[in-house]
């Protein structure tokens, strides 16, 4: 089910928080993996979000977010299917500075 809600709190270090909405009395538990934004999946307390949720006992809450994103944005699917098999992957690119340090050492 989809509704709008407000982030009650979000713990960046722990990667989860709680979203309040009329349809999820007592709050809806949300994990960073359910945050549909580009880049780092963080929410901020007080921000309005769109919330897709399910009934599920999670850390003392009767509801769990399946997907959520800021209300003023479109959701971004963070997983990218690469070969049509249903398998997902991620990438990491590291760029090295080949010029060394300020004192000229490498």
């Amino acid at each position: 089910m989809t509704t709008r809600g407000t982030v009650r709190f979000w713990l960046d270090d722990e990667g989860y928080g709680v979203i309040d909405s009329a349809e999820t009395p007592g709050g809806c538990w949300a994990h960073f993996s359910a945050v549909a934004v580009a880049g780092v999946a963080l929410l901020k307390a007080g921000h309005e979000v769109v919330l897709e949720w399910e009934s599920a006992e999670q850390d003392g809450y009767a509801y769990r977010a399946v997907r959520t994103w800021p209300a003023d944005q479109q959701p971004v699917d963070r997983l990218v299917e690469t070969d049509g098999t249903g398998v997902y992957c991620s990438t990491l690119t590291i760029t090295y500075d080949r010029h060394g340090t300020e004192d000229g050492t490498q």
Side-chain angles (χ1 to χ4, degrees):
M1 295 181 210
T2 303
T3 188
R4 284 185 175 248
T6 303
V7 179
R8 180 190 308 171
F9 70 85
W10 188 264
L11 302 173
D12 292 345
D13 296 355
E14 302 293 327
Y16 77 93
V18 173
I19 300 169
D20 291 314
S21 76
E23 289 80 5
T24 59
C28 181
W29 187 87
H31 188 258
F32 79 92
S33 63
V35 180
V37 298
V40 180
L42 301 175
L43 298 174
K44 297 292 180 199
H47 286 185
E48 187 176 1
V49 295
V50 177
L51 171 66
E52 295 175 358
W53 57 275
E54 65 185 2
S55 294
E57 184 62 34
Q58 181 71 53
D59 292 342
Y61 296 93
Y63 307 97
R64 176 175 52 221
V66 175
R67 190 165 76 141
T68 186
W69 61 93
D72 61 350
Q73 298 177 21
Q74 292 296 313
V76 174
D77 290 324
R78 296 173 63 214
L79 298 177
V80 178
E81 188 172 340
T82 59
D83 60 6
T85 64
V87 176
Y88 294 91
C89 71
S90 63
T91 62
L92 171 66
T93 303
I94 299 174
T95 304
Y96 293 96
D97 179 1
R98 297 185 185 272
H99 299 291
T101 62
E102 287 182 21
D103 66 0
T105 60
Q106 298 267 345

